[in-house]
Each structure stands twice: as C-alpha cells, then as structure tokens.
Amino acid sequence: MRAQAGRGVKREGAQARLLRLGMETHVSLPLFTGMLVVAIWLVTFHFIEAERATAHAAALDSVAEIADTYEAQMARNLGGIDQTLKVIKYAVERKGALGALPELHEHGLLPSGLVFSVSIANAQGQIVASNPAVKAISVASENYYAYHRQHDSGAAYVSRTMRDAANAEYHVHFTRRLNDSGGGFAGIAIVEVDPEYFTIGYERSRQGERGMLALYGQDGIVRALRVGERVSWGQPVPQLAPGDQPVAGPWDAVRRYVRVRPLGGFGLLAAVGVAEDEQMAAFEAHRMQNLWKAGVGTAVLVLTAGLLWLWLWHGAKTRRRIRRQQETYAAASQANLDAFFVLRSVRDRSGRIVDFRIADANPQAEKMTGMRREQLAARSLLSLLPDARDNGILAGLIHITLAGGVHEQEWENTMPQLSVRWVHQQVVGVEDGVVAIVRDISERKQAEARILHMAHHDSLTGLPNRALVADRLGHAITSARRNGNAVMVAFIDLDSFKLVNDGLGHNAGDELLKVVAARMTGCVRANDTVGRFGGDEFVLVLPEVGDSPATMSLLMEKIRLAVIEPIQLAGQEVQVSCSIGVSVFPRDGIDPDALLSNADAAMYRAKDKGKNNYQFYTHEMNASVEEKLALLEGLRNAVEQQQFRVLYQPKVDLHSGAVFGVEALVRWEHPEHGMISPLRFIPLAEESGLIVLIGEWVMRTACRQARAWQDAGLPVTVSVNVSPRQFDDAQLVSQVEDALLDAALDPQYLELEVTESLIMRDMQQAVAKMRVLKNMGVSLSVDDFGTGYSSLSALKSFPISRLKIDRSFVSDLATSADDQAIARAIISLAHQLHLRVIAEGVETEQQQGFLRENGCDEMQGYLFSKPVEASHITAMLLRQGATADSALA
Amino acid sequence: MRFRHLLPLLLAVLAGAAQAGELVVIVSAKNPVSALRADQVADIFLAQTGRFPQGGEAVAIDLQYGSPLRDEFYRKVAARTPALMKAYWTKMVFTGRGQPPKELPNSASVRRLVADNPLLIGYIERSALDASVKPVLVVQ
C-alpha cells in the first residue's frame, strides 16, 4: 500500500516535471517545431498522392481519348481502303481489268497515288493494271493470292507488312477477290499502303517521345508499330492486357498506359500507349518541386526555430543566471553581517550627481539605520543623512561613482541617524551608482583602544608604562624644545617595598602600589604623567614645569610626604618611604634615554643617602655608573690576570680556644686601585656571572692550601663560600670533585658555606644538591643564619653540620636583648638538631663572653684574627701546635 | 501595296524567254485574281484553304507525282522536299483533313484545264504560258 502510494507520488512528480518542462519555451518550441514539420510532410505527401492520382487519371483519360481518336481514324481509313477495293472490284467486273483504273481515275474515284498504290492482278496472279503504274509482276506466290483463289467469302483480306518485286518498300496489302461473270476467280484488287500511314496520326504533343501506336492483326502480327519516331512492323504481339495500370510494352521496357480497340472489317486491332514516365513527368516534376518546397520549408522552419530556440534558450539561461545572481546576492546580503546599501546616483538637469537613491538595503542596513527596507527605498542619501553633504561622504561617493573601483576606509560616525560609532566602509563603484558595504567596527575599535591602552599602561595601577612614558617624554621634549620650556623627569623607587611584598604577600604589595600610584597621581597636574616601570619603580614626567629648583623641590617634597603616609594593608598599618631622583631637560640631558638614565642615577644617590629623600641629578652621579662599568671591565681582566688572592680567617673553638678551621675569603688586588672590597666586586661578579670562574679558582686555591697545611702536619678545615650563581651552576659538583682531586685533599677538610636565602629559593633542589655534596664527604654549613625565612621543619631536613649566626645579630649582642634572644634561640635550635654553632663577626670580649656562656661552639672575627695570608695561618697553627706541645709537655 | 506585288511579275514578263525553266502560277484569264503571294499559293496547294484571298473558291491542279517541276514548285513555294510533301499528304489523307490536288501529266494539260475553269489554279512552265491563263505568281 505504502509502496504503491510512493510510486504514485513519484509518477505524479514525473508528470509534473514533464508538464513544467513543456511549459518551458525552450522545450516546447522544439516539440511544436517537430509537430509542424511532421504536419508539413504529411500534407506534402497527401498532396503528392492526390496529384499522383490525378496524373494517373489524366493519363488514363488521355490514352483513352487518343485511342478513341485513333480508332475513329483507323475505322475511317480502313473503311476508305475497303471502299476503294469494292469500287475497283465493281469497275473491273463492269469494264474489265484494263479499263477499270482509267475509268475510275477519270471520275476521281481512285485514292491519291501519293499514299495508296492500287493494282489489279488477273486470275493467274499477273499484275495487269496499277496506279501509280508499277512493274507488272506476278503475285501468284503471295498469300493473299492463294487466299482469294480458294475463298470466295466476299471478305477483304489484309496481308502482313511485306514487299514484292514491284515495290522495294514494305507495304500492307489490302485485297479483294475479283470474280468473273460466272462467279469464278478472276483476279485480285490490291491496295498497298505504307505502314507508316497507319501511324502517321501519332502526335508528339499528345503521346510524347515514347508513346505508342500499333496496328496488328488478329493473327498477332504487327502491321505497323510506331514508338516515338520509329516505325516498325512484323513483330508478334503478345496478349496485351489493357488495364488501368501501366504495363511494360511487349517491344521495350517502357511502362505505358495502353488501350486496345478492335477494328471492324479487316480483323485488325488498334493499340494506343503513352509512356508512364512521360505522362507522369509533370507530376514527378511537381512532386520533386513539392518535396523541395517541403524540404526547404522544413529547413527554414527548423533553422528559424533553431535560432529562436537558441535565442530563447540563451535568454532563459541569461534569466536563470541573473536570477541566480540575484538570489546569491540576496542570500549573501541577507545573511551578511555587514550592512549593504545599493545607491543609484541622482543627477540634476546638467547631469551632475547631486544625491543618491537608496535602491536596496539588507537587514543589517535596516538595523543600522533603524528603518525598514521600504522606508529606506523611499529615501535619498541626503534625506537620510543630511550631514553627508558637508562631511565629505557625498563627495566621496560621487567620486567613486565616476571613477569606479573599490574604496575602503574607516571612519568615526557622528551622524545620529546611524546607530554605529566606528564603521569600516567598502564602496564599490558600479554602473551609475555605488554599493556601500558598511561594517560596524565599534567593538574592534574598542578592543583596539583597550589593547592600545594595555600596551601603554600598567595593568595593576593603570598608569602609563615604560613605552608610553617614553613616548610622552619624547613629546614633552619636542614641545619644550619648541617653547623653551623645561621638562622634569623624576624616578621614584619605594624604599622597603620588598619587605612588604615578602612579609605581607603579593596582594598587599599590589595594593600598596595602587595606593601609592593614586597618591602620586593626586600630586600632579592633569597634563603631567605618572608612570610605572614595573616593580616599585615609578616615573614622573612633568612638562612645562618652571625651571626654578624651588618649585621642583616643593613638588618632590609633596610626593615624598604623600607616599610616606601610613597605609592600611591586610589589617596592618604600613609605612613606606621613597627615594626620588630628578633630572631636568635640557640641563641634564636632551633625549628621553639620557633623562631617564640620569634620573635613575639620582635616585640611586638618594638611596645611598639613606633613602626617603630626593636628589637632583648632578654630573658626578654618572661617574659612579661609569666606575661600575670600569670595575666590571677590570674584573674580567682580574680573572684572566690572576689578580685575586685568598685570605683565610681562623675559626676558633670557644671552649678550647684552638684554631680548628679557616674560612677562605677572596680579595682583589687591583694593580692600580689596590685592594678592592669584596662588598664592591662580589655583587658585580655575581651579576655578571664571573663569580663562577672566581669561585672555582678560590675553591682550587683553598683546597691546595688545605693540602699544603695537611702536608705540613697542620690539618685544618677550609670553608669556602658558594654564591647563589655558583650553586645554581650545573658544574658545581664536578668542580668540587676536580678541586679535591687536583689537590688530593680528603673531602672532610673542605666545608662549603651556603646562605640560608640561597637554600630557600628552591629548597628541594638545593637540599638534593647538598646531599650529593654531603655524600662526597664534604661538610656543609648555613651562612648568615637568621636573616632568611627558613622554617624549623625545613632546617631539619638540611644535610648540614653547622649553623653560622649572622654578624648582624652578633654586633649588637652586648646591648640588644632581642639579638641576645635570637642568638640564644639559634644556639638552642642548632643543638637540638645536633648541629654545631659558629658566630661570625665577633669583635669584642663581651660578645665572646655571651656566646661562650650561652653554649655557642665556635667563633670567628676580628677579636681573634682578621682574614690573613696563608703563611700567617701556618705560623699561627705552628704556634698553636707548639703551645699545645708545651702544654702537653 | 498592289504595285509591290505587281512589280516582280511585270519584270518577269518583260524578261521573256531569258527566264526559261521558270514556273508561273496561273489561273484562268477569266479569274478576277491578278496576283498571289507565295504563301497564299502554298495554302491553296496544301489544302489549307479552299478559297482565293478574294473569296472565290479555289481548286488546285498539280503536276504528276515525281515530276521535277512539281518538286521544284513545292520546294520553292512551300519550302518542302518531296519526302516531306509525301509525309504531309499521308498525314492529311490519314486524318481526313484533305486530299492531294488532282494531277495532270504536263504543263499544257494544266494550262488547258485552268484556262477553262476560273475556280482552278495551277502552275506551269513559263514557256507554256499563253493568254488563256493569267500568271498570278512567278515562282523564283
């Protein structure tokens, strides 16, 4: 059931499709043409058949008419001939054979000698008279003689076409018997006729070139036959079957319409024929003509229809293409996120474009203008956007209309009729108008602005960043150079920001920065710039500032005071100060880099001066920077030229007072500047990475020295400091191994000192590395203990054997209860963890006394000895050995 | 019009014996016809018409079949050879449209016959011409 229904639907679909195809002109036209062609040919063949029938009938009529005529002529002629024979017979029987002919001639009863030969034969067959006169021959041997001799029927006799001795020409002999008075055979009357005579009636106009006239006897032998111009005789005639259909003649292959008529008297028959092809020639010609007409008609029709079809088909194709294009355009424009306006130019009388008509618009355009498409179509550009006349839009569109091409631009819309702010427009010149594709790019513009802002501003404080500050400074300088003004640049660095950040957390640090930024911004004018360079560095650019130092000082003081105001952070009151460095264009530099760099230098001077102050740049400040560079250069040379020396500071057991180890300390003996403090060059070396090379050298030197002491019978442990950079170096472990191997030193005589903060940066990795070293047999100690933030639990896991109390706790040990408490706590803690404790920087007896009383194990410091040459240590150890020996002794 | 036809005749008459062997077409002296054109003569002899142009009945008299004079006459007047003449008459007889003219053996017998009967028209040797007949055309 369902399947049937399905088939039904399908069939109906096919029918509908056929119907639709039929409706298409380019399909129906060929069908119609085909039917027309068929009709033409049907009609043509119908006419041809009708004409054939007509021609056939006409041929039959014609042959019948000719036959009638011929029959009549023959009947009359044969009658005349028989009449002549009878007249001769009469005259002969009356006058005798010799007198008969002249008698008849006299009376004009003889036929014309021109056509008929008349003669009389006697009973013996001898010709006795003739007209015209011929030789007197005997006809006794002729058939007719025998016939007449034997028969006295009173009938005429007709011979075959023959000739005799008297006449060389063939003739048909008509004869009658002459009787004597007794009724006996007396001779023969003869009339000879040329066979041509009987066919002379042939009319070419009626019977054509291949018509036929025939006279033949009942004996079936032809007496005279004419086909066209040719006359013959004597041939036998097969049964002629006269009918309505043409038959092929018995004498040739020509098909003829034939009629046969029997003639009375002599037992002859007359046959008439007309050639079918001749009779039908006109018809055939007409048939060909009709076929040609139909053919030409068909060709013309087909050609015309073909051209028409091509034209229609082309038209249909063009329409389809246009329709598709329109649909495509409609689909594209409907769905497009851009607004489409199709504008057609409106011209004034002089042909100038004065306005545009809105020919089409898509939904986005409706949205953009707030109008429906129909409303838009009723408007002109100027009536929709009056401002277009003056803001260049109309002029632009006119230009594009005239010039063509594709034009793109972005502009900020200020016309209230359009609901967008920023637009990107693409205008394409088309024939007599333009297509404007307008895109709302407000969002993109906003994003761009945001990105631009982000690129130029610090995300935390919203202040301009380094790039924008540099830009503004550049502008300020350009402007100042033009106006002869000054530009002030201030570098502001918060003094103890790191403490806040580390102590209260990053969020508190960020909050602090925001507050400080806001305060600084509050201190300056609108066209001044407060920027942040990152971290706790701020920069002020103050264009058009008076050149008076007093004004500048006032402003700097205002900022310093604003920053130092207490801030509530994470429930605590925090106070940060700042150090400010100032440089002024054009006095301190004429380009942004120089000004910023000089302000930076001035800021460092302020730091050096104890922070919480401001400094104006002076030329000397740059000297320190230059000095630093010179120092770095010197440091490189120092590594190459072995300008370092190692000094050793003894470590003393607080209980025994004996030197049990030394700390190796590097010194730089500059060939020109003399001894340079480690405080000056170590940070530089650390910063530049040279520390790795220096540290390795120190370690090798110290190891060799330790081996030397050992060899001298003075075994002491040598401590070597490992800087963070050195510690991070992947080669550290192998360097230590190499140094030990090189010096052939037992690892137990080497101690490495690392700082607490170094371990805390990445505790796990640091502890792992320390374990490796520890496993080698090298001992480890924590330097500067107390300054970092290591937790006690972490401390427990350190593979160390010694803690060193930082000198900062030691220095005030005599007076500060806090420091005493800290020292006591550290000592106690170390002992709890089974670590030895050493105090560094011990300079006084009081300090030594406190440490000893509180159980500190070891100490080092100026109280006992400053760092000294290795040889001094050797002497010291020898002395100690001697003392010990003497004590023992 | 008349003079134009008469003139050759007069010239011929004046030429006399110098023109021996020439044929003349004759009618009876009693016949009102004075001159005929060759084609008018031919029409009568070929049985195309049975009347003189003036309206009188005309009967042609011929010379015997095979006579050289006869052949010449038809060659000149009707532009037909003897064979064509025979075919012509065969057809005329067969179709019943006419009979050849009565034949006479020589010019003298023709002249004699024509002289007596104004209906007749014949042709003779010029030399056989006399006052009993009237030449209406000199055949040249």
Side-chain angles (χ1 to χ4, degrees):
Chain A
M1 196 66 186
R2 192 175 299 169
Q4 275 177 357
R7 271 204 302 277
V9 167
K10 198 171 175 185
R11 192 160 54 241
E12 202 158 42
Q15 279 173 356
R17 197 158 54 243
L18 276 176
L19 199 68
R20 199 171 59 250
L21 268 177
M23 297 296 278
E24 293 277 347
T25 317
H26 63 269
V27 176
S28 58
L29 181 67
L31 283 174
F32 177 71
T33 308
M35 289 192 288
L36 216 56
V37 167
V38 168
I40 285 175
W41 285 98
L42 283 177
V43 168
T44 302
F45 284 124
H46 175 78
F47 272 114
I48 286 172
E49 280 313 306
E51 283 184 4
R52 185 197 301 281
T54 306
H56 182 72
L60 286 176
D61 284 353
S62 174
V63 77
E65 191 187 321
I66 294 167
D68 288 345
T69 307
Y70 190 48
E71 182 189 10
Q73 285 171 343
M74 283 308 294
R76 189 171 51 74
N77 275 287
L78 291 176
I81 288 166
D82 198 28
Q83 185 66 35
T84 301
L85 289 173
K86 283 178 181 165
V87 167
I88 292 168
K89 178 181 167 73
Y90 175 75
V92 169
E93 286 170 359
R94 287 274 309 269
K95 295 271 180 176
L98 292 177
L101 291 183
E103 173 80 0
L104 290 174
H105 185 69
E106 189 70 23
H107 291 91
L109 289 171
L110 282 181
S112 169
L114 206 56
V115 179
F116 303 96
S117 292
V118 179
S119 44
I120 298 164
N122 60 18
Q124 289 72 43
Q126 192 68 40
I127 298 293
V128 290
S130 62
N131 177 59
V134 295
K135 220 153 74 180
I137 59 159
S138 170
V139 298
S141 59
E142 303 296 347
N143 283 340
Y144 53 84
Y145 177 77
Y147 175 83
H148 288 300
R149 219 178 124 85
Q150 289 162 16
H151 298 87
D152 186 14
S153 61
Y157 180 88
V158 60
S159 74
R160 295 187 182 184
T161 307
M162 50 170 277
R163 55 182 175 179
D164 51 31
N167 198 337
E169 300 289 328
Y170 278 89
H171 283 83
V172 181
H173 294 69
F174 295 88
T175 50
R176 258 185 190 277
R177 171 177 163 133
L178 302 177
N179 285 341
D180 55 24
S181 52
F185 176 63
I188 302 166
I190 306 165
V191 174
E192 293 173 41
V193 186
D194 188 334
E196 278 192 42
Y197 176 76
F198 296 107
T199 59
I200 199 79
Y202 186 95
E203 283 180 74
R204 202 184 292 172
S205 62
R206 297 177 73 188
Q207 287 180 272
E209 299 295 337
R210 287 184 297 283
M212 178 201 74
L213 284 180
L215 179 70
Y216 59 98
Q218 277 163 346
D219 56 0
I221 300 299
V222 169
R223 301 303 194 272
L225 166 67
R226 177 164 177 164
V227 175
E229 288 300 297
R230 206 168 56 77
V231 178
S232 60
W233 49 85
Q235 52 275 71
V237 180
Q239 190 60 40
L240 278 174
D244 285 349
Q245 290 309 313
V247 293
W251 309 287
D252 52 23
V254 178
R255 284 164 58 83
R256 293 188 180 85
Y257 293 97
V258 175
R259 283 287 180 269
V260 178
R261 298 283 164 84
L263 301 168
F266 294 97
L268 290 170
L269 294 100
V272 170
V274 288
E276 180 193 21
D277 57 356
E278 286 178 334
Q279 291 302 307
M280 302 299 271
F283 156 75
E284 284 295 338
H286 204 215
R287 190 176 78 101
M288 284 312 291
Q289 205 180 347
N290 280 336
L291 288 175
W292 268 107
K293 278 179 188 170
V296 169
T298 302
V300 167
L301 183 65
V302 167
L303 195 71
T304 309
L307 288 173
L308 189 64
W309 182 84
L310 265 181
W311 182 70
L312 283 171
W313 183 69
H314 188 72
K317 214 170 66 171
T318 306
R319 276 196 303 281
R320 195 160 61 237
R321 198 178 63 233
I322 289 171
R323 195 169 60 240
R324 267 192 207 148
Q325 279 173 350
Q326 281 172 345
E327 282 170 0
T328 308
Y329 158 74
S333 69
Q334 289 294 312
N336 210 294
L337 296 175
D338 297 342
F340 277 56
F341 295 93
V342 179
L343 303 176
R344 298 266 172 244
S345 57
V346 174
R347 292 169 189 267
D348 65 5
R349 200 164 293 165
S350 62
R352 230 155 34 87
I353 300 173
V354 290
D355 198 352
F356 286 90
R357 191 169 53 75
I358 301 174
D360 196 8
N362 71 345
Q364 284 297 323
E366 293 179 331
K367 220 161 92 183
M368 193 173 282
T369 53
M371 285 182 158
R372 286 206 319 282
R373 198 160 151 192
E374 300 75 46
Q375 293 174 295
L376 281 174
R379 308 291 291 261
S380 78
L381 178 70
L382 289 181
S383 73
L384 180 69
L385 306 172
D387 294 348
R389 188 192 299 280
D390 301 317
N391 65 8
I393 288 181
L394 179 64
L397 293 179
I398 289 172
H399 171 74
I400 293 166
T401 305
L402 300 177
V406 181
H407 302 258
E408 286 187 63
Q409 71 175 104
E410 291 182 4
W411 44 277
E412 188 173 7
N413 172 45
T414 52
M415 295 178 285
Q417 293 88 351
L418 293 182
S419 66
V420 288
R421 174 127 183 255
W422 276 96
V423 297
H424 171 271
Q425 75 172 23
Q426 191 175 31
V427 181
V428 185
V430 295
E431 197 180 330
D432 200 31
V434 294
V435 175
I437 303 155
V438 182
R439 179 177 299 176
D440 182 354
I441 54 163
S442 305
E443 272 184 32
R444 200 192 82 205
K445 281 286 178 182
Q446 275 170 16
E448 278 176 11
R450 204 155 54 235
I451 289 165
L452 198 67
H453 187 268
M454 277 163 68
H456 288 108
H457 291 82
D458 170 41
S459 59
L460 178 65
T461 59
L463 294 178
N465 64 5
R466 186 185 289 270
L468 184 55
V469 167
D471 187 49
R472 295 226 180 132
L473 180 54
H475 285 299
I477 288 170
T478 309
S479 161
R481 190 173 280 147
R482 200 159 46 232
N483 304 329
N485 285 336
V487 178
M488 183 177 140
V489 179
F491 230 98
I492 303 169
D493 193 89
L494 302 184
D495 289 331
S496 20
F497 177 69
K498 192 170 160 41
L499 279 177
V500 174
N501 219 9
D502 293 351
L504 299 175
H506 289 295
N507 289 340
D510 288 350
E511 186 60 31
L512 173 72
L513 288 172
K514 281 199 238 179
V515 171
V516 169
R519 286 182 185 173
M520 285 194 279
T521 309
C523 292
V524 298
R525 298 163 301 175
N527 59 343
D528 295 338
T529 299
V530 178
R532 179 174 172 234
F533 271 19
D536 55 352
E537 287 182 342
F538 293 87
V539 174
L540 260 57
V541 174
L542 309 166
E544 298 167 23
V545 76
D547 199 11
S548 125
T551 319
M552 295 187 195
S553 297
L554 213 60
L555 180 60
M556 291 305 107
E557 187 61 20
K558 191 174 157 190
I559 287 170
R560 190 185 69 78
L561 290 173
V563 170
I564 208 167
E565 282 285 316
I567 301 168
Q568 285 291 326
L569 283 179
Q572 290 185 39
E573 193 175 80
V574 176
Q575 226 179 343
V576 289
S577 62
C578 63
S579 300
I580 305 174
V582 179
S583 65
V584 179
F585 170 87
R587 192 187 68 205
D588 300 330
I590 53 165
D591 62 86
D593 285 348
L595 287 167
L596 287 168
S597 161
N598 289 341
D600 193 32
M603 188 273 287
Y604 274 106
R605 173 57 54 90
K607 291 261 186 203
D608 287 349
K609 290 245 171 143
K611 306 175 178 175
N612 193 23
N613 71 87
Y614 61 88
Q615 293 292 323
F616 283 88
Y617 172 77
T618 60
H619 287 291
E620 296 80 58
M621 288 175 185
N622 258 347
S624 69
V625 176
E626 282 155 18
E627 183 194 77
K628 194 172 155 186
L629 289 172
L631 198 64
L632 188 60
E633 187 60 33
L635 199 57
R636 286 188 217 285
N637 290 334
V639 173
E640 286 168 20
Q641 296 170 15
Q642 300 284 322
Q643 292 173 358
F644 297 105
R645 284 168 54 205
V646 178
L647 296 185
Y648 301 92
Q649 188 171 42
K651 291 176 173 181
V652 185
D653 190 303
L654 270 171
H655 302 290
S656 65
V659 174
F660 67 93
V662 294
E663 181 178 359
L665 296 163
V666 69
R667 290 295 180 269
W668 178 13
E669 203 161 2
H670 196 279
E672 289 159 32
H673 302 105
M675 198 66 84
I676 294 171
S677 162
L679 290 176
R680 279 188 64 194
F681 75 83
I682 292 297
L684 202 57
E686 181 77 16
E687 193 182 315
S688 64
L690 287 168
I691 194 72
V692 177
L693 288 172
I694 296 169
E696 188 185 0
W697 179 80
V698 168
M699 195 172 315
R700 284 175 177 275
T701 308
C703 285
R704 272 200 297 273
Q705 186 58 54
R707 175 71 197 187
W709 281 323
Q710 210 178 327
D711 289 345
L714 306 166
V716 286
T717 308
V718 178
S719 302
V720 177
N721 290 289
V722 178
S723 82
R725 190 89 175 236
Q726 225 178 332
F727 190 80
D728 290 344
D729 195 282
Q731 305 298 317
L732 176 69
V733 174
S734 62
Q735 274 177 17
V736 172
E737 275 179 338
D738 286 352
L740 289 169
L741 275 175
D742 183 46
L745 183 70
D746 192 322
Q748 64 168 312
Y749 293 106
L750 180 63
E751 184 183 65
L752 298 179
E753 293 190 11
V754 293
T755 62
E756 189 187 4
S757 57
L758 181 151
I759 301 167
M760 295 311 294
R761 285 182 319 177
D762 184 351
M763 204 177 75
Q764 281 189 333
Q765 205 184 343
V767 169
K769 209 162 196 176
M770 284 158 73
R771 286 236 164 83
V772 174
L773 292 166
K774 176 87 176 176
N775 291 340
M776 285 165 58
V778 177
S779 49
L780 293 152
S781 71
V782 172
D783 205 359
D784 310 336
F785 189 77
T787 55
Y789 299 90
S790 50
S791 68
L792 293 177
S793 61
L795 189 61
K796 195 173 63 181
S797 66
F798 292 175
I800 53 171
S801 51
R802 187 177 270 113
L803 283 183
K804 188 179 263 187
I805 301 170
D806 191 65
R807 69 177 67 240
S808 59
F809 300 114
V810 175
S811 60
D812 294 339
L813 210 51
T815 53
S816 167
D818 284 354
D819 287 355
Q820 286 176 3
I822 289 170
R824 265 201 294 272
I826 291 172
I827 292 163
S828 165
L829 175 68
H831 287 166
Q832 296 276 330
L833 294 169
H834 307 294
L835 301 173
R836 292 181 72 78
V837 183
I838 184 168
E840 65 174 354
V842 179
E843 292 174 356
T844 64
E845 291 290 345
Q846 288 95 327
Q847 289 165 351
Q848 186 184 15
F850 177 85
L851 290 167
R852 184 179 288 139
E853 280 160 24
N854 285 284
C856 184
D857 303 304
E858 298 150 1
M859 64 149 236
Q860 66 182 96
Y862 275 42
L863 179 64
F864 184 78
S865 169
K866 61 177 186 180
V868 293
E869 295 285 343
S871 57
H872 287 80
I873 297 294
T874 309
M876 206 179 287
L877 290 171
L878 284 172
R879 256 198 323 274
Q880 183 178 302
T883 313
D885 287 348
S886 64
L888 285 171
Chain B
M1 196 70 174
R2 193 168 274 190
F3 286 110
R4 270 176 68 184
H5 298 292
L6 209 57
L7 193 62
L9 176 70
L10 289 175
L11 285 172
V13 170
L14 288 173
Q19 298 287 327
E22 277 181 339
L23 289 173
V24 290
V25 179
I26 51 165
V27 293
S28 165
K30 295 174 266 183
N31 193 316
V33 174
S34 55
L36 291 172
R37 292 196 311 275
D39 61 312
Q40 291 168 336
V41 171
D43 282 349
I44 294 166
F45 273 86
L46 293 178
Q48 296 293 317
T49 180
R51 292 184 179 277
F52 288 107
Q54 288 79 7
E57 193 182 343
V59 175
I61 300 296
D62 214 340
L63 285 175
Q64 227 162 9
Y65 178 67
S67 147
L69 233 58
R70 172 177 164 142
D71 293 346
E72 188 190 349
F73 173 78
Y74 283 108
R75 195 164 56 243
K76 287 183 173 168
V77 173
R80 278 179 164 90
T81 62
L84 280 175
M85 278 312 298
K86 189 183 178 191
Y88 176 78
W89 280 121
T90 303
K91 187 161 189 174
M92 288 296 280
V93 170
F94 179 79
T95 55
R97 282 206 289 271
Q99 290 290 324
K102 181 184 171 69
E103 292 176 11
L104 290 178
N106 51 47
S107 293
S109 53
V110 170
R111 186 190 64 217
R112 262 197 311 276
L113 200 59
V114 168
D116 294 337
N117 190 343
L119 299 184
L120 301 183
I121 178 169
Y123 58 91
I124 56 170
E125 282 174 303
R126 187 188 182 111
S127 55
L129 197 61
D130 65 13
S132 66
V133 293
K134 179 163 59 175
V136 290
L137 173 69
V138 176
V139 179
Q140 289 177 324

